[in-house]
Amino acid sequence: MKIILLGAPGAGKGTQAVKIAAKYGVAHISTGDLLRKNIKDCTELGKKAKEFMDGGRLVPDGLVVALVKDAVSAVENVLFDGFPRTIEQARAVDGFAAVDKVINLRIDESLLMNRLTGRRVCNDCAAVTHVSLLNGAGKCQVCGGVLQQRADDNEVTVKSRLDIYCKQTAPLIEYYEKQGKLIDIDAGRESDEVFKDIERVLDK
Ligand code: AMP
């Protein structure tokens, strides 16, 4: 099974991807996570990717496609999270993976700025939460670790990421509609509700 999770930044792709991977045993390939790991490990790719990511721009297609091809070579069942993000990347996927389903997490854009600027990620266990759920506590509610704001979750960068999503990634909705693979899910609800709809799609 090969699945793509589409959706604007803040639509909940990462949260749903973790649940899908746990229930269906698919390898979770998040290009954002892979790129951040490269930055943390100070690799050549990480050095190149950082300036694009900090500016809220997309990392060039060639770099991202090579990264995914490498990660996907050893796995049969896979969930792509945050990839593809451009038509060029989608065409590349057509050449190396037979995608079964594309789940589009649809959400009203007005919800996204608050979701993203309020997002906090645990340094230790990578759990994701929102400042409005912390009741003043600054620690991760899963493991007690230190919470951090992602470097690209500030207002200026989020604006750029949302703009780029509209221009470069949203056209993928039509691309996969034409392939008959697109399934639309309302992502403006509690994450458990969203996941129930995803389960219905994947259990078919
Ligand atoms: P994410 O964690 O999915 O929100 O991605 C964070 C950032 O990583 C994006 O704003 C881009 O700069 C970069 N990135 C992640 N996935 C891709 C991709 N498929 N193509 C280009 N850039 C990407």
Side-chain angles (χ1 to χ4, degrees), residues 66-168:
L67 184 67
V68 173
K69 260 189 169 170
D70 188 44
V72 90
S73 59
V75 290
E76 185 59 34
N77 297 312
V78 61
L79 172 69
F80 295 116
D81 160 11
F83 176 87
R85 261 178 154 100
T86 64
I87 295 284
E88 281 70 22
Q89 291 179 18
R91 291 202 182 111
V93 177
D94 289 342
F96 68 77
V99 171
D100 301 287
K101 293 178 180 175
V102 178
I103 297 175
N104 179 39
L105 298 180
R106 186 173 30 83
I107 186 160
D108 190 317
E109 209 191 313
S110 64
L111 298 174
L112 297 176
M113 180 58 80
N114 175 269
R115 274 196 181 194
L116 288 165
T117 54
R119 178 162 69 178
R120 298 292 180 271
V121 185
C122 176
N123 253 348
D124 298 326
C125 74
V128 178
T129 187
H130 191 274
V131 278
S132 62
L133 302 172
L134 293 174
N135 299 322
K139 295 269 174 314
C140 171
Q141 287 163 331
V142 177
C143 75
V146 177
L147 293 173
Q148 272 204 330
Q149 184 174 33
R150 264 173 51 172
D152 58 353
D153 274 347
N154 64 81
E155 201 171 324
V156 174
T157 312
V158 167
K159 270 193 188 126
S160 159
R161 288 161 65 200
L162 293 177
D163 192 40
I164 283 175
Y165 167 79
C166 289
K167 288 188 181 129
Q168 293 189 256

Side-chain angles (χ1 to χ4, degrees), residues 31-32 35-36 53 57 59 64 82-83 85 89 150 161:
T31 40
L35 291 165
R36 279 184 288 277
M53 293 170 76
R57 288 177 293 139
V59 175
V64 179
F83 176 87
R85 261 178 154 100
Q89 291 179 18
R150 264 173 51 172
R161 288 161 65 200

Side-chain angles (χ1 to χ4, degrees), residues 3 5 13-22 25-34 71 75 77-82:
I3 312 159
L5 257 189
K13 295 187 296 299
T15 303
Q16 296 302 330
V18 169
K19 290 176 191 251
I20 295 169
V26 291
H28 173 196
I29 295 187
S30 155
T31 40
D33 287 350
L34 290 173
V75 290
N77 297 312
V78 61
L79 172 69
F80 295 116
D81 160 11

